[in-house]
Amino acid sequence: MSDKETATDRDAAPATPAAPGPAEPIAIVGMSALYPGAHGVEELWRLLLADAPPSGTGAGPAPAGLGDIEVDVARFGIPPAQAASMARLQLLMVEAARQCLDDATGPGGLPGRTDVVVGTCLGLDRQYANALRVDGARYARDLAEVLADGPWRDTGADPRDAERELNDVLARRLGASPHDRVGEMASTIPARIASAFKLRGRTLAVESADATSYWALAHAVDSLRAGLTDAALVVVGQRDEGRFARRALAAKGLPAGPGEAGDTPALAEGLGALLLKRRSTARRDGDRVYASVLDCALRHEARPGTFRYSLSAGHRRAAAEAAHRTAGVEPGSVGLVECAGHGTAAVGRAEQDAIAAIHGDAPRDSVALGSVRDRLGHTFANAGLAGVTKAALALHHRTVPPARVGTEPGPADGRPFRVPRAAEPWRPSADGTPRRAAVLGASLTGTVCHVLLEEHAPVAAGAPEPAAGPSDGVSAGATAGATVGASDGESPSGEGEGKGAAVRRGGAGPSVGGGAGRSVRGGAGAPGRDGAASSVRGAGEPVAIVGFGGRFADSPDADGFWRTMLSGRDRIGPLPPESFDRDLYHAPGALARGRSYTDLGAPVPVPSAPPAGLRIPPHRYAAMDAAQRLGLHVATEMFARHGRPPHALEGVGTVVVGSNLGLSGERRLHTGLCLDDLEADVRSLAALGALGPDEVEALTKLVRDRFTDPGPVDLPTTWDGCVASGIAALIGNEHRLDAVPVAVEAACASSLAALDVAVGRLRSGAADYAVAGGVELPCNARDMVLCSALGLLSHSRITPFDAAADGFTPGDGCALFLLKRLADARRDGDPVFGVLRAVGASNDAKSLIAPDVDGQARAVRQAFAQVDFGPDEVDYLEAHGTGTRLGDRVEVAAAAQVYGTGRRRAPLHIGSAKSFLGHTFAAAGAAGLLRTLQALRGATLPPSVNLRELSPDLALDAVPARVATEALPWPAEPGRPRRAAVSAFGTGGINYHLLIEEGTDATR
């Protein structure tokens, strides 16, 4: 990253999608803050108001972390055996969630239909520890082999004793629990929060580098406005984990610590949480409201090459204009701008130029500037939430906090801007316009962000609540005017926003953004049995699949995948030696620490060169994680099937990829940085007691030379290849898409969670097209060992719905889908391969491991609450099909609750792609959707394979349903398209259910 870098057309203001009218504000009804030196919202506010020494004097934010915060795990019902395997950030986030929920004082209480959205970036301490322990076994073997072959053979040191002792030392130091695989997952954090507080909405983790907070907030806002949830708990945190982050970020131009060279804030630790409700709901419930979020706009500058901050003032200006247009307020009503803070000088100039263009006509000294980084440092993933918390507190207390002396967060040269040096009362406007603030953000992947906040003004008794603008269409069969978010037993009332009345807020005007806005073509859905009501802002709008691609075992593309589904033969077999070292990690048939009792899987070869047409230098391609490479190749196939070059896509897009948020490449690099720790362990071994210090040093040097070098850490490309959202960013940047990237983790439901996020962006009007799907490669020693420790793997091979089912077999894979609103696809003449009608989601709020019938059925009901047809009109269910008797029984029982209506004219066909390709973890839902899409296109009901005897536990007759073992014709029902459903469930009680129908002449 250099001040000399320039962006192509950096000052051009790209086209921005327009909302049909002001959207309902989202109220912040609870907050928490955990930062070094500020353990609580009140302490944070005091820190923000306190006089402070000039920046650069060495007396800035201390480099302390959050290690001094004690978390009482017992109060959250966490068993001690699980607590030891949990990431430290997970414990802190549960505590932050508790403080936030305690801070919400409204008498209306917390609805059970509450989403939990968590944000974080880079690896967690348990991920690093587990990877180091598994890789440490290889180091221990190298140690034994060097001892056996070197000059130490006659010293009395037994090589095998040294190997065993070192593995024992690593297990004690790093921990070794059957729960390690669950405890290390980022998606376990929201699931743990949901379980602790009995929250049964969506649960997922997101990551988009230092735009992570903004993505978490934007998704929560989408879900609330669409009526898919009644409240959302957003928790975003950053810890300085291990040694990798600082080294890799320093190579990107961020300093490794306070006071070091560079003008960017140091990477700092911090957590925060926001509890959000629709403003109408908060007022109805009597909640104390800190402030309201008017909008959270995201834009992206797509530039091929190494990831770096956008230098485009035009993109920042476009994000701001989009936010103001959606909110229906003028920039002149903003009195506080919370800046992202300096990156390099060039990044700072782009931000200054953008806010000068937006607020240039405001009165002199009317806009105060600040940046929370001057007090907290750069909390990276948490940075946006820290800024929103500061702005919300300022609005709540009607006080403008001071900026640190010596900090110039923006232009202050006689234009409308001022930099307060002491706390100031925030005076009301002369015309009664509410106080408003803007929070700016930027990401290393090229994203820019703009959040608008407004003060809370209590409504006088008897005064009507302003309502959101109307949509111009209602889904067929839907209940027009249904109350947004109405729960069971509620009837529409006159208090809610979002019911079709006009909006008029102080300071609103038509000039922002210039030009007429595009209307949203969705409609309202009727409340369903789960209490899910759709918003009038496009919640039920159909979404077309206009491109797709996939790569799985023995299937180089989506067509090969379908041939596999029709072949009658699975693609599961012994893993290759480069993926799984049997001598080291295989212990057939037995639970053994650090070993897997199976060596079977369905691997996919990692691409060794970029896709044709993409010019990526070899050194940069070599730095990419395997998941990034696979995602790039599948995206290229997807665009080719769409039939038009990617750059021909018009408008603003988004790329949402379901993945494990801790990529394998990052873990390997972190292990490489911990060789000195391994060598310290070697020095402590009793088995080497006969060796002198010089001999031990010589021994460790030879082992270090022998141990595989994971690659360099101090290159600008290293961080790019390790961040999970880099999968999405690479797809967007290399194909020059004006599309905002994000990675999503919801355990084995990650792909459908990604589809859900993408559909929400399309329906809200925030995006005109989306790429969504999932990728993961679990056919590796680490995942095999950790899953085996919990007994999750089959001892033979995965056989969903079979009486002998005893677990799953891992498989690698990726599938991606190009999406547009159906009306836009028709307008543009795109091929319509299938139509997504709904995505329902829930959390069991019970066990993190055992599946739950009611939780799964809740997700199914929420999906049907968004459409105008019933379960009896669905022909095929692509099941999650984990291949355990309990999991399969629960899944069929949940399906029977909703699909067993007694009105079916034909049995519901059930199958699972996992029987052919194994369990592809984060890509599992994408594999199921790809199989279902191809089945619809081919009018063929796909079979399952290796099914010898149906499990007697399955209540198939209650649906009724059948599991086919051979492909069958899929006849069309008169008067309706073929319809199917796809389920995906994840560890932590995470449930997703998607409804899809074929693309017919009517939809093409």
Side-chain angles (χ1 to χ4, degrees):
M1 192 168 60
S2 167
D3 290 355
K4 296 181 180 179
E5 289 178 339
T6 59
T8 303
D9 299 326
R10 53 181 287 186
D11 292 320
T16 304
E24 178 171 17
I26 302 301
I28 301 173
V29 301
M31 296 196 298
S32 66
L34 295 175
Y35 298 92
H39 297 175
V41 172
E42 292 182 358
E43 290 186 16
L44 176 62
W45 182 238
R46 286 195 293 268
L47 175 64
L48 294 172
L49 292 183
D51 292 334
S55 67
T57 62
L66 298 172
D68 59 334
I69 298 177
E70 295 185 4
V71 180
D72 181 4
V73 298
R75 75 185 303 173
F76 302 116
I78 301 172
Q82 294 183 18
S85 67
M86 291 169 59
R88 170 68 176 167
L89 186 63
Q90 183 178 154
L91 291 171
L92 292 172
M93 284 187 160
V94 174
E95 175 63 17
R98 180 195 68 79
Q99 293 185 15
C100 182
L101 296 176
D102 286 351
D103 183 59
T105 58
L110 186 67
R113 204 163 62 111
T114 298
D115 287 0
V116 184
V117 186
V118 160
T120 184
C121 185
L122 297 176
L124 306 177
D125 54 358
R126 282 312 314 167
Q127 294 174 346
Y128 291 145
N130 294 338
L132 182 57
R133 191 181 75 243
V134 173
D135 283 343
R138 185 161 49 88
Y139 182 96
R141 184 181 62 182
D142 288 350
L143 172 69
E145 290 177 352
V146 171
L147 269 174
D149 295 336
W152 302 276
R153 285 177 296 182
D154 300 327
T155 61
D158 186 284
R160 295 304 167 196
D161 283 349
E163 181 180 5
R164 282 191 293 269
E165 186 182 358
L166 179 55
N167 279 318
D168 289 341
V169 167
L170 292 176
R172 288 194 301 271
R173 178 166 69 85
L174 301 171
S177 164
H179 299 282
D180 284 339
R181 183 65 174 90
V182 177
E184 74 166 20
M185 296 166 61
S187 57
T188 300
I189 302 175
R192 178 74 69 183
I193 293 171
S195 176
F197 302 104
K198 305 306 177 187
L199 309 177
R200 295 180 172 84
R202 287 159 159 77
T203 51
L204 70 159
V206 300
E207 183 270 303
S208 188
D210 26 358
T212 296
S213 292
Y214 301 94
W215 253 111
L217 181 61
H219 176 62
V221 168
D222 281 349
S223 295
L224 285 162
R225 286 177 174 164
L228 298 175
T229 190
D230 298 314
L233 179 61
V234 175
V235 190
V236 185
Q238 183 72 54
R239 290 198 70 218
D240 184 12
E241 307 273 22
R243 304 172 183 180
F244 174 79
R246 285 180 177 264
R247 289 274 295 273
L249 287 171
K252 300 293 293 183
L254 276 71
E260 298 188 19
D263 60 357
T264 53
L267 176 65
E269 294 194 350
L271 288 94
L274 305 175
L275 181 61
L276 308 172
K277 291 183 179 180
R278 290 178 293 277
R279 191 159 73 182
S280 56
T281 305
R283 284 176 166 162
R284 181 198 66 193
D285 293 346
D287 292 312
R288 181 271 322 278
V289 177
Y290 284 103
S292 292
V293 178
L294 301 182
D295 196 49
C296 179
L298 307 172
R299 295 301 305 269
H300 189 76
E301 182 186 7
R303 293 196 295 175
T306 305
F307 295 164
R308 51 212 182 273
Y309 288 108
S310 170
L311 302 179
S312 170
H315 276 78
R316 287 169 169 81
R317 186 169 70 250
E321 290 173 345
H324 281 280
R325 182 164 41 249
T326 299
V329 299
E330 284 280 9
S333 65
V334 171
L336 171 65
V337 174
E338 175 69 17
C339 297
H342 294 296
T344 62
V347 177
R349 283 195 300 272
E351 185 175 78
Q352 293 174 23
D353 291 346
I355 61 176
I358 289 293
H359 301 283
D361 295 332
R364 183 180 180 84
D365 294 335
S366 64
V367 182
L369 299 177
S371 176
V372 74
R373 291 190 191 183
D374 68 1
R375 304 302 175 99
L376 301 180
H378 186 14
T379 54
F380 211 69
N382 169 263
L385 194 139
V388 169
T389 302
K390 174 187 172 182
L393 286 171
L395 289 164
H396 180 64
H397 292 286
R398 297 177 179 177
T399 301
V400 178
R404 183 181 299 280
V405 177
T407 300
E408 299 294 340
D413 55 0
R415 289 183 282 185
F417 307 104
R418 71 185 192 280
V419 180
R421 297 309 182 190
E424 302 174 353
W426 194 336
R427 306 294 182 190
S429 66
D431 62 359
T433 300
R435 296 171 179 86
R436 296 188 179 115
V439 180
L440 281 56
S443 162
L444 262 176
T445 54
T447 297
V448 296
C449 320
H450 200 94
V451 180
L452 286 178
L453 299 173
E454 181 178 271
E455 71 174 329
H456 180 64
V459 175
E465 174 74 20
S471 75
D472 62 352
V474 176
S475 301
T479 301
T483 301
V484 176
S487 59
D488 291 333
E490 289 185 13
S491 60
S493 70
E495 298 179 6
E497 299 191 21
K499 290 152 84 174
V503 170
R504 184 166 59 87
R505 290 201 197 102
S511 62
V512 179
R518 174 186 49 75
S519 62
V520 173
R521 288 163 291 279
R529 291 169 59 188
D530 191 45
S534 296
S535 163
V536 294
R537 288 181 54 83
E541 184 169 17
V543 171
I545 299 175
V546 299
F548 61 92
R551 184 174 293 196
F552 294 86
D554 197 32
S555 303
D557 54 27
D559 292 336
F561 170 90
W562 183 234
R563 288 192 293 271
T564 295
M565 294 298 110
L566 301 178
S567 69
R569 181 175 62 86
D570 70 50
R571 299 303 190 266
I572 295 169
L575 293 178
E578 59 269 22
S579 299
F580 187 75
D581 188 329
R582 285 169 179 74
D583 292 339
L584 190 57
Y585 295 116
H586 191 204
L591 282 175
R593 189 185 72 198
R595 302 292 186 96
S596 169
Y597 49 78
T598 180
D599 64 346
L600 297 181
V604 170
V606 178
S608 58
L614 296 185
R615 302 177 63 181
I616 301 175
H619 74 279
R620 188 165 158 261
Y621 192 75
M624 292 181 188
D625 188 87
Q628 294 179 339
R629 298 187 194 182
L630 189 59
L632 265 182
H633 275 261
V634 173
T636 301
E637 178 199 350
M638 174 194 69
F639 289 127
R641 186 167 277 106
H642 179 232
R644 300 176 186 175
H647 59 78
L649 289 165
E650 296 182 353
V652 176
T654 188
V655 184
V656 191
V657 178
S659 177
N660 186 319
L661 295 192
L663 298 184
S664 295
E666 180 199 355
R667 302 190 203 199
R668 285 195 300 271
L669 288 166
H670 183 268
T671 294
L673 294 175
C674 293
L675 288 179
D676 54 345
D677 291 338
L678 293 175
E679 290 166 358
D681 291 331
V682 169
R683 297 184 192 101
S684 71
L685 297 180
L688 301 182
L691 303 184
D694 292 342
E695 291 176 299
V696 173
E697 291 305 309
L699 173 64
T700 58
K701 184 179 184 304
L702 287 176
V703 177
R704 179 181 283 254
D705 292 340
R706 182 188 182 103
F707 196 66
T708 303
D709 181 6
V713 175
D714 300 315
L715 297 176
T717 54
T718 301
W719 185 87
D720 300 3
C722 291
V723 65
S725 62
I727 305 169
L730 281 167
I731 293 170
N733 290 354
E734 296 305 317
H735 289 285
R736 297 183 179 272
L737 303 179
D738 185 1
V740 186
V742 66
V744 170
E745 184 185 314
C748 304
S750 297
S751 292
L752 293 196
L755 268 293
D756 187 38
V757 171
V759 167
R761 295 267 84 191
L762 288 166
R763 287 176 170 172
S764 73
D768 295 301
Y769 63 88
V771 175
V775 57
E776 190 161 357
L777 294 90
C779 292
N780 60 74
R782 184 192 69 254
D783 281 316
M784 298 283 285
V785 166
L786 295 180
C787 290
S788 182
L790 201 55
L792 300 176
L793 302 181
S794 170
H795 286 263
S796 53
R797 65 186 62 225
I798 185 170
T799 54
F801 312 116
D802 195 271
D806 66 342
F808 63 78
T809 305
D812 298 337
C814 175
L816 296 172
F817 306 88
L818 180 60
L819 311 176
K820 282 187 176 183
R821 288 178 291 270
L822 178 59
D824 291 352
R826 288 171 174 167
R827 177 199 66 200
D828 297 340
D830 291 317
V832 177
F833 300 111
V835 180
L836 302 182
R837 295 299 310 274
V839 186
S842 72
N843 191 279
D844 298 344
K846 291 184 178 179
S847 168
L848 291 186
I849 300 174
D852 176 70
V853 172
D854 291 338
Q856 293 182 10
R858 191 177 300 114
V860 180
R861 290 187 180 115
Q862 192 185 78
F864 279 105
Q866 302 169 41
V867 297
D868 56 349
F869 57 86
D872 53 307
E873 296 184 62
V874 172
D875 310 309
Y876 174 69
L877 169 61
E878 174 67 21
H880 188 60
T882 57
T884 65
R885 288 190 65 168
L886 174 62
D888 294 345
R889 175 177 62 79
V890 167
E891 183 167 9
V892 173
Q897 281 196 11
V898 184
Y899 287 94
T901 63
R903 297 191 297 271
R904 301 195 62 85
R905 289 188 290 179
L908 176 70
H909 290 264
I910 299 178
S912 175
K914 293 181 181 64
S915 64
F916 288 89
L917 301 169
H919 191 348
T920 53
F921 289 40
L929 177 56
L930 180 59
R931 171 170 141 120
T932 306
L933 180 66
Q934 293 283 52
L936 287 165
R937 296 180 67 224
T940 301
L941 292 164
S944 291
V945 73
N946 297 331
L947 182 62
R948 293 176 174 82
E949 178 185 355
L950 275 174
S951 170
D953 300 335
L954 303 180
L956 294 174
D957 291 341
V959 179
R962 61 171 296 185
V963 181
T965 56
E966 60 181 0
L968 299 171
W970 189 340
E973 290 288 333
R976 68 166 176 87
R978 296 175 178 86
R979 294 192 177 109
V982 181
S983 284
F985 310 124
T987 301
I990 299 171
N991 310 301
Y992 278 84
H993 194 76
L994 180 148
L995 298 175
I996 181 176
E997 63 189 27
E998 65 181 329
T1000 65
D1001 290 341
T1003 58
R1004 294 190 182 103

